[in-house]
Amino acid sequence: MKRKLTLKLIAKELDVSISTVSKALRDSAEISEDTRQKIKAFAKLYNYKPNNIALSLKNRKTRTIGIIIPQIVHHFFTTVIRGIEQMAREHNYNVIITLSNNDFDKEVLNMELLANGSTDGFIVSLAKETLHKDDFRHLTEAIDQGMPVVMFDRIVDEIPCDKVLIDDREGAKMGVRHLLKTGCRKIAIITTEDYVTIGKLRTKGYIEALESYGIKVEKELILKLDNIDHCEGECSKKIKNFLKGKDIDGLFTVNELFAVTAAKHLHEFGKSMPNDVSIVSFSDGELSKHFIPSLTTVSQHGELMGRKAAELLINKLERPEDEVEEYTTAYIDTTLIERESTKKIKK
């Protein structure tokens, strides 16, 4: 397949900066006539047609960072935003926050709008629909046109950019092993469909933790849900049906919304925490702290994740143009926070 021509490739072929190519194609007086003609002739020869994001490439710095997140209902995302804003403020950057509402088209629109002279780069957690569609052209186009992108939490391994993650598999293993150490042996999991990477990895950690204790994984104890940002209506009904009649003594969930919904239904069935069923969930938000009984959680440290994402993006924005492009994947350690929803570890 013929490689698609981008501003980045034109710049490389002609040994000039991406900014010079962009300005030349716009007939900017900042670029000499000879250079402009050379770049325009090359672009015409190879039938270069800029896309919407290419058209919006900026020739000046705004000192503004664009943030695109799926939802703001999660406490986790609010802590990430706080961390980004702290780091941005320390380096004299502003932030613009947009929501995709887990919608692919909204995510693309947000990126195009923010690229239109409003921001210098992006920090992105992908929409559920984007992951489901497996369509990331808007991201690769932005990167090709010289817009730095940092992905966090919901990422795609194949996209060449900086990324900030936690080790979801190890975090899940930590949570499930805590249940095992307290004496639980019949442990269920409420997770997401596999196209959501974090759910897939956390499910793998659950399985590995059970296997490390010689416990056979039972498929009927695994519930995969599509609704990962709300848990009401059909989602709540599925959790209720899943738990009904099950003889379990432990439950691990990939977010606290699933955990509190499950706890509510277990209470309806006459089960108590932690005497009958112990619960551990990912994401240490306000629900976990104030629920009765309070939830034992695996904390993702969203604020640290946000600070690291902003640091990586600012480093990219302020690096010299001739510096070799390198990408970093940074990992933030998870922490188990013990509360009332689990028994004390048996000695």
Side-chain angles (χ1 to χ4, degrees):
M1 183 182 289
K2 188 176 179 181
R3 191 174 183 186
K4 182 181 177 183
L5 192 65
T6 64
L7 292 185
K8 193 172 185 178
L9 287 174
I10 295 173
K12 186 177 180 181
E13 287 294 327
L14 299 180
D15 196 23
V16 296
S17 70
I18 292 172
S19 177
T20 297
V21 174
S22 178
K23 291 175 182 178
L25 293 174
R26 296 165 187 266
D27 279 320
S28 170
E30 293 179 50
I31 310 301
S32 71
E33 179 66 19
D34 285 346
T35 302
R36 270 186 282 161
Q37 292 304 320
K38 181 172 72 172
I39 290 171
K40 289 167 76 175
F42 185 90
K44 184 177 180 180
L45 177 65
Y46 289 94
N47 196 30
Y48 172 71
K49 290 182 175 62
N51 53 47
N52 288 337
I53 292 178
L55 288 169
S56 67
L57 187 68
K58 305 169 299 304
N59 295 325
R60 60 182 178 80
K61 295 290 184 184
T62 66
R63 298 199 71 81
T64 301
I65 293 169
I67 304 172
I68 305 175
I69 59 174
Q71 287 277 8
I72 209 161
V73 293
H74 285 314
H75 177 75
F76 166 69
F77 285 119
T78 64
T79 59
V80 172
I81 290 169
R82 187 187 308 140
I84 294 170
E85 287 190 315
Q86 287 174 355
M87 183 62 73
R89 190 166 56 247
E90 290 169 17
H91 290 80
N92 298 313
Y93 279 80
N94 298 308
V95 300
I96 296 177
I97 303 163
T98 64
L99 303 179
S100 67
N101 289 319
N102 276 310
D103 181 84
F104 171 79
D105 291 334
K106 189 69 163 59
E107 184 174 279
V108 173
L109 179 62
N110 284 341
M111 183 162 277
E112 291 187 353
L113 288 173
L114 290 176
N116 192 19
S118 301
T119 60
D120 297 331
F122 299 104
I123 296 175
V124 182
S125 183
L126 294 176
K128 181 180 71 173
E129 190 179 25
T130 302
L131 293 168
H132 197 237
K133 280 177 173 285
D134 197 29
D135 185 347
F136 313 113
R137 284 173 295 179
H138 55 301
L139 290 161
T140 55
E141 285 175 357
I143 293 167
D144 284 344
Q145 308 311 328
M147 291 287 289
V149 172
V150 176
M151 303 176 75
F152 75 95
D153 192 46
R154 299 184 194 172
I155 64 103
V156 178
D157 290 330
E158 296 77 18
I159 294 178
C161 67
D162 291 327
K163 303 176 180 77
V164 184
L165 300 165
I166 61 166
D167 192 329
D168 288 287
R169 189 177 69 176
E170 284 302 318
K173 284 169 75 172
M174 181 195 305
V176 176
R177 279 177 177 163
H178 179 71
L179 289 169
L180 291 162
K181 288 174 184 176
T182 65
C184 296
R185 289 298 179 269
K186 195 83 168 176
I187 302 171
I189 182 174
I190 302 176
T191 183
T192 66
E193 296 290 353
D194 286 346
Y195 69 82
V196 181
T197 311
I198 57 173
K200 185 176 182 179
L201 289 170
R202 291 173 190 179
T203 304
K204 186 177 288 188
Y206 157 83
I207 291 170
E208 290 177 358
L210 292 182
E211 289 177 342
S212 71
Y213 270 66
I215 296 173
K216 183 181 177 182
V217 177
E218 300 178 46
K219 289 185 178 179
E220 59 269 23
L221 295 184
I222 300 175
L223 174 64
K224 295 182 180 181
L225 298 173
D226 187 55
N227 194 332
I228 56 180
D229 295 302
H230 296 283
C231 205
E232 52 195 24
E234 191 62 28
C235 174
S236 178
K237 189 185 296 184
K238 286 179 180 179
I239 290 177
K240 183 175 183 177
N241 291 337
F242 171 70
L243 295 172
K244 190 173 183 178
K246 279 198 170 55
D247 181 26
I248 62 171
D249 56 11
L251 175 65
F252 179 74
T253 69
V254 298
N255 63 46
E256 62 183 4
L257 289 171
F258 290 172
V260 298
T261 304
K264 180 186 73 173
H265 292 311
L266 286 169
H267 180 72
E268 291 171 3
F269 299 146
K271 306 269 188 179
S272 67
M273 289 191 299
N275 295 329
D276 298 314
V277 181
S278 291
I279 297 181
V280 174
S281 81
F282 249 93
S283 64
D284 184 42
E286 296 302 310
L287 281 174
S288 301
K289 296 169 188 171
H290 299 298
F291 192 74
I292 300 175
S294 57
L295 298 177
T296 295
T297 60
V298 178
S299 176
Q300 299 164 266
H301 300 293
E303 197 167 305
L304 290 177
M305 185 175 278
R307 288 186 64 85
K308 188 62 180 180
E311 177 191 331
L312 290 172
L313 183 60
I314 291 168
N315 286 344
K316 274 287 189 296
L317 293 172
E318 297 185 351
R319 72 184 177 87
E321 271 196 15
D322 59 352
E323 188 176 291
V324 176
E325 186 87 80
E326 293 181 348
Y327 300 114
T328 299
T329 297
Y331 284 90
I332 305 297
D333 290 335
T334 55
T335 305
L336 185 78
I337 299 176
E338 295 182 50
R339 295 198 182 95
E340 299 165 347
S341 66
T342 52
K343 298 175 184 176
K344 299 298 181 184
I345 293 176
K346 293 186 176 181
K347 301 297 184 184

